[in-house]
Amino acid sequence: MAHCVDTMMYVREVPWHGLGTRVEEAPNSKEALRLAGLDWEVERCPIITADGQPVPGFYCNRRNDTKEPLGIVKDRYQIVQNSEAFSFTDELIGGDVKYETAGSLLGGRKVWMLARMPAEKILGDDVVPYLCFVAGHDGMSSIRVCMTPIRVVCNNTLNLALKKAKRSWSARHSGDIATKMDDARQCLELSGTYMDALGKYADKLANTTVSREDLEDYVDELFPSNIDDSDRKRNNTDRLRAEFMKCYDAPDLKKFQGTAWGVVNAAADMATHSAPGRESKTFQENNWNRLLDGHTLIDSVVIMANQWLVKKYV
């Protein structure tokens, strides 16, 4: 899966894919741009057919350093340079912004950066909100910005879909980009609202009892099997069930065991750290998409947690 990552920088701990330039302290945007290998620009070039005829209305995005093509775009496409993405994040957060990781995928077709924001307490745990900016130069990807809370003690992502608190924004590379960036600022200035809502939601779940028997029954539903399944599929299902329960019984969740919040955190642990059943060429790209969109496993468990809440308060 590491072949999808081209260049990257990270702070202190080696990422699970083992690539990147290690630094002791999170750099500012200028240094992060250089260390992550993102100090290049996108240039738009006309497309000409093999017999020398221009193709009207279409252009090729390419890197100005390697001249590698990144994607075909229409004439209304607006380029957002890597340096502009960092500048936008600097302005959005304000102050002395530090970047903990940044890099590119697929030859520079997609770039990302994660900036650390001040930690907050949720049920006694340190939870750090990270601002994630992802931009695509391939003509198919949107500009995307999201706020991702990380539970520090176990490095789990708490990307929970909360009905009344939005944590992400996206826009196409067309039209008035400056206005769209202003919209993003207004959206993500509400990140405090999301963290406040997350804290209140966590408190409700931590006060909602879930018995071991109910949890095991739910895990059976979460990872179902039937009599027609092959031995391989049954073994995989058993592995997933056991892995979920192992996450639930982890020492860092001991104080939340027997509660719906413990179950949600077990799902976050499994979603964040589990290796894929089968590695694919797009796994790493999909993993970054899950950082922005959330994870189907976590979403499924949150739906069940909400049902437990309804039973408690009805």
Side-chain angles (χ1 to χ4, degrees):
M1 63 191 80
H3 55 264
C4 293
V5 174
D6 307 299
T7 56
M8 177 175 161
M9 57 74 60
Y10 58 87
V11 177
R12 293 180 295 277
E13 296 183 6
V14 180
W16 53 264
H17 50 68
L19 296 181
T21 301
R22 184 179 185 272
V23 295
E24 288 298 326
E25 297 296 333
N28 58 28
S29 59
K30 185 176 180 180
E31 277 298 290
L33 196 71
R34 180 182 63 82
L35 291 168
L38 297 177
D39 50 348
W40 45 268
E41 292 192 345
V42 179
E43 55 187 17
R44 192 170 76 166
C45 304
I47 298 175
I48 301 174
T49 64
D51 59 357
Q53 298 299 312
V55 180
F58 289 88
Y59 295 86
C60 175
N61 278 353
R62 72 177 185 183
R63 294 176 57 150
N64 71 335
D65 56 350
T66 63
K67 306 303 180 183
E68 181 177 355
L70 302 174
I72 305 300
V73 301
K74 294 183 178 180
D75 51 9
R76 65 174 180 269
Y77 181 94
Q78 299 292 317
I79 295 172
V80 176
Q81 300 291 356
N82 299 337
S83 58
E84 292 176 322
F86 276 92
S87 296
F88 167 77
T89 309
D90 286 348
E91 293 174 12
L92 186 62
I93 297 177
D96 186 20
V97 182
K98 298 296 184 181
Y99 293 87
E100 296 234 338
T101 184
S104 68
L105 292 169
L106 305 172
R109 289 167 178 80
K110 290 188 178 181
V111 300
W112 84 85
M113 61 211 67
L114 273 174
R116 181 184 177 116
M117 300 170 74
E120 300 188 26
K121 290 283 187 182
I122 291 183
L123 300 183
D125 281 341
D126 282 331
V127 176
V128 176
Y130 282 83
L131 184 69
C132 181
F133 189 108
V134 177
H137 301 307
D138 56 2
M140 297 180 290
S141 306
S142 300
I143 305 164
R144 309 196 66 192
V145 188
C146 79
M147 194 272 297
T148 294
I150 307 290
R151 185 168 172 252
V152 173
V153 67
C154 51
N155 208 32
N156 288 345
T157 59
L158 297 175
N159 290 342
L160 309 188
L162 304 179
K163 291 182 179 179
K164 296 182 179 180
K166 188 176 181 180
R167 69 175 187 88
S168 63
W169 168 91
S170 65
R172 302 292 296 175
H173 284 259
S174 59
D176 188 344
I177 293 294
T179 299
K180 290 181 178 182
M181 292 297 199
D182 285 337
D183 292 341
R185 289 186 182 91
Q186 293 176 25
C187 170
L188 290 173
E189 282 169 359
L190 300 178
S191 62
T193 303
Y194 180 87
M195 293 300 292
D196 182 61
L198 180 61
K200 292 177 180 177
Y201 182 63
D203 185 66
K204 287 183 178 181
L205 294 186
N207 286 284
T208 300
T209 301
V210 179
S211 70
R212 186 82 178 193
E213 182 180 5
D214 285 344
L215 174 58
E216 290 176 349
D217 288 343
Y218 171 62
V219 172
D220 288 346
E221 295 177 16
L222 188 62
F223 304 109
S225 63
N226 61 66
I227 195 170
D228 297 325
D229 288 344
S230 65
D231 289 343
R232 179 177 178 179
K233 186 172 182 180
R234 279 197 298 270
N235 289 338
N236 188 54
T237 300
D238 290 342
R239 177 185 65 81
L240 292 172
R241 290 173 177 173
E243 188 174 349
F244 190 98
M245 296 307 298
K246 182 179 179 181
C247 291
Y248 178 76
D249 290 328
D252 65 278
L253 287 180
K254 186 174 182 179
K255 62 182 176 180
F256 299 130
Q257 285 178 4
T259 72
W261 184 240
V263 179
V264 169
N265 272 274
D269 191 1
M270 187 172 177
T272 304
H273 299 297
S274 293
R278 179 171 23 176
E279 294 184 7
S280 66
K281 292 182 178 180
T282 59
F283 170 75
Q284 196 159 40
E285 181 182 357
N286 293 337
N287 212 30
W288 275 107
N289 289 335
R290 282 191 287 268
L291 185 68
L292 275 71
D293 298 330
H295 197 286
T296 53
L297 174 63
I298 299 176
D299 291 344
S300 297
V301 173
V302 166
I303 290 171
M304 187 64 207
N306 290 338
Q307 294 176 12
W308 289 328
L309 277 176
V310 170
K311 290 179 181 178
K312 176 181 178 179
Y313 289 101
V314 168

